[in-house]
Amino acid sequence: MNRSKEPIMVTRPLLPEIDSYKDSLDSIWESKWLSNNGRKSQKLEVEVANYLGVNNVSLFNNGTIALLTAVQSLRLQGEVITTPFSFPATTHVLAWNGIQPVFCDICPETLTIDPKRIEELITARTSAILGVHVFGVPCYVEEIQKIADRHGLRVIYDGAHAFGTEIDGKPIGTFGDITMFSFHPTKLFHTGEGGALTFNDENLKDRINLLKNFGIKNQEEVILPGINGKMNELSAAMGLEVLPLVDAERQRRAEIRNLYCSRLENVPGVSIVKMPNGVKNSEQYFVIRISEKDFGSNRDHVFELLKERNIFPRKYFYPLISKYPCYSALSSARPEALPVATQIESEVLCLPFYGELPLEVISNICNVIIAACRKSQAGSKMTNREKVDVA
Ligand code: T4K
């Protein structure tokens, strides 16, 4: 098993050579320009737009403030239909904008918001749909857009995990009104902390850029109640160093994913969260579900077994957002209204997934899971008498 003292985490940041980063810091020192739309962030904005294949990008200091600003920029109000299966930020940005989240169940295959359940949740107060391309798996973007068009709603996507995802060759950041990307160190592409919005409507650019800079139009006019969402130059410098490393990291992660898949594919009770046909994988997470009935024991058991071996997978996204005390009283938060999400939250497990991991470690993780399944199944086939004898 994992004999190294070094813990195996769910992810590790992709880091450039330190000397190369130091060189870019030198140029920041020389310029004495650390923030407020500096040269490095201007350059990164262009490079991110090229990588993501989008026309408009606005960089931010983190993904949460970017999403908060996206909601502001579209002047959303009332209610927004969203998924409970995500990171807290997705729903919190609605609450911070004085909007009531309305939770919609998810699809068992993609774990994204279920378009078949959206329309029944629309009321006169609904202003938008906020979907999450969770683990980089795209939402059903066509169906969602049709619903939005039928009811005059806006569409925002939380694409925190979807850097580089494409659907049939079409970049993920081109769907809906606005897409948010997170550049946190746990993300494939990162800027230390950071994020971005992408959008098709050129007219949104001024409003978004004003909102992320306190609403300052010029030294004499402040025209919107903005926030400080700007990316600083040290983060932008990190981004410029990390971006050229992303494709090789994706390739390496694809190798790791293939090994996980080949070892775990036929383990009873284990299902792998996969990209639908035609989708380019962002390689952000490797996610399995463990069905207790077929596996013989549950997700938490596997989590503990790995932890004992100094391996730390994560139960993203457990608990559901709808179970947080700040949202659980909402009628859409009732577990009966969210049967699929409620089932998934008890099954899901994100396994360690980053390029530096040796394939031997991946194999060892699979061995632990396979052995747990065999042992649990043997145990569940024993009579009670035999179980007492074994104990
Ligand atoms: N929407 C979605 C769907 C998201 O997943 C997120 C963030 C957001 C919105 C908001 O975007 P940001 O505002 O964050 O840009 C981590 C990240 O902090 C968070 O960004 C991410 N999602 C979430 C899925 O994962 P935690 O609470 O699990 O972080 P933490 O500190 O436990 O780190 C996880 C593992 O990563 C550690 O076990 C080790 C490794 N790690 C982490 C950091 C910070 C490192 O190796 N180095 C590091 O510097 O939330």
Side-chain angles (χ1 to χ4, degrees):
M1 289 308 102
N2 174 31
R3 284 176 230 284
S4 129
K5 292 269 184 323
E6 188 76 11
I8 306 289
M9 311 307 276
V10 68
T11 190
R12 283 295 194 200
L14 178 58
L15 287 171
E17 292 297 328
I18 190 147
D19 286 340
S20 180
Y21 187 57
K22 279 180 186 158
D23 287 346
S24 27
L25 293 185
D26 283 344
S27 67
I28 294 175
W29 256 243
E30 273 163 35
S31 73
K32 298 189 175 21
W33 195 269
L34 302 189
S35 188
N36 292 16
N37 201 26
R39 275 208 206 123
K40 295 220 183 271
S41 68
Q42 285 177 27
K43 182 161 189 257
L44 184 64
E45 208 157 79
V46 173
E47 293 197 7
V48 166
N50 287 340
Y51 192 93
L52 292 179
V54 295
N55 291 331
N56 298 297
V57 171
S58 183
L59 297 180
F60 280 80
N61 48 8
N62 62 61
T64 305
I65 297 290
L67 199 55
L68 191 77
T69 306
V71 173
Q72 270 284 319
S73 71
L74 296 177
R75 300 179 174 83
L76 302 184
Q77 293 179 343
E79 297 172 1
V80 169
I81 298 170
T82 189
T83 167
F85 187 69
S86 186
F87 193 66
T90 311
T91 305
H92 288 348
V93 302
L94 298 175
W96 274 56
N97 274 293
I99 289 168
Q100 179 170 314
V102 175
F103 295 109
C104 178
D105 208 3
I106 57 174
C107 292
E109 303 80 29
T110 58
L111 314 186
T112 60
I113 193 165
D114 185 348
K116 293 193 293 304
R117 306 295 308 277
I118 291 177
E119 271 184 303
E120 65 202 55
L121 298 170
I122 295 175
T123 70
R125 300 186 67 224
T126 310
S127 58
I129 300 163
L130 169 51
V132 178
H133 303 308
V134 72
F135 308 134
V137 183
C139 292
Y140 290 94
V141 289
E142 270 182 36
E143 288 87 336
I144 290 172
Q145 196 58 57
K146 278 187 195 147
I147 296 168
D149 291 345
R150 257 201 307 276
H151 297 271
L153 304 178
R154 297 294 210 151
V155 179
I156 297 184
Y157 287 114
D158 176 336
H161 308 163
F163 193 82
T165 296
E166 290 175 5
I167 308 174
D168 294 326
K170 201 159 179 241
I172 197 76
T174 59
F175 295 98
D177 291 290
I178 304 183
T179 300
M180 178 279 275
F181 295 89
S182 164
F183 302 157
H184 183 267
T186 54
K187 302 299 180 293
L188 171 80
F189 167 70
H190 72 90
T191 56
E193 282 269 7
L197 295 179
T198 64
F199 41 95
N200 297 322
D201 181 0
E202 185 90 37
N203 296 323
L204 273 175
K205 190 153 198 141
D206 283 349
R207 185 166 164 79
I208 287 173
N209 286 341
L210 273 168
L211 281 170
K212 79 171 180 192
N213 187 28
F214 313 98
I216 295 174
K217 188 178 175 198
N218 56 46
Q219 291 188 18
E220 269 131 47
E221 289 174 284
V222 176
I223 59 171
L224 287 171
I227 200 163
N228 184 357
K230 292 169 274 106
M231 179 177 281
N232 70 69
E233 289 291 276
L234 290 93
S235 286
M238 178 64 87
L240 288 168
E241 294 291 324
V242 173
L243 195 57
L245 310 178
V246 163
D247 282 344
E249 173 70 10
R250 283 175 86 146
Q251 254 174 14
R252 173 69 187 159
R253 290 187 185 197
E255 271 175 54
I256 292 175
R257 175 165 52 82
N258 288 339
L259 178 57
Y260 269 135
C261 287
S262 67
R263 296 289 318 279
L264 297 177
E265 209 132 46
N266 297 317
V267 179
V270 172
S271 46
I272 296 165
V273 176
K274 288 194 171 156
M275 293 295 148
N277 286 341
V279 171
K280 184 167 168 194
N281 199 323
S282 64
E283 310 292 359
Q284 176 58 56
Y285 289 108
F286 184 82
V287 191
I288 59 170
R289 288 170 51 196
I290 295 179
S291 146
E292 184 170 1
K293 188 168 130 290
D294 300 320
F295 189 83
S297 58
N298 63 18
R299 181 269 317 270
D300 291 349
H301 176 67
V302 174
F303 178 85
E304 292 302 327
L305 283 177
L306 290 167
K307 209 167 100 182
E308 281 164 19
R309 288 158 178 78
N310 216 14
I311 298 165
F312 299 93
R314 292 297 287 260
K315 302 176 195 176
Y316 295 135
F317 285 104
Y318 163 84
L320 296 177
I321 301 176
S322 48
K323 291 198 172 160
Y324 304 168
C326 44
Y327 303 120
S328 60
L330 293 171
S331 83
S332 66
R334 288 171 297 117
E336 314 85 82
L338 304 165
V340 179
T342 304
Q343 171 81 25
I344 301 287
E345 70 162 343
S346 65
E347 297 182 344
V348 77
L349 194 61
C350 291
L351 298 179
F353 191 59
Y354 48 98
E356 262 179 51
L357 277 176
L359 293 180
E360 191 200 347
V361 170
I362 306 299
S363 233
N364 287 342
I365 293 171
C366 295
N367 289 344
V368 175
I369 297 171
I370 293 163
C373 178
R374 288 200 184 124
K375 202 163 166 208
S376 308
Q377 297 204 330
S380 63
K381 281 188 195 123
M382 284 183 197
T383 62
N384 282 343
R385 179 58 200 269
E386 283 168 329
K387 279 184 194 165
V388 171
D389 288 349
V390 169

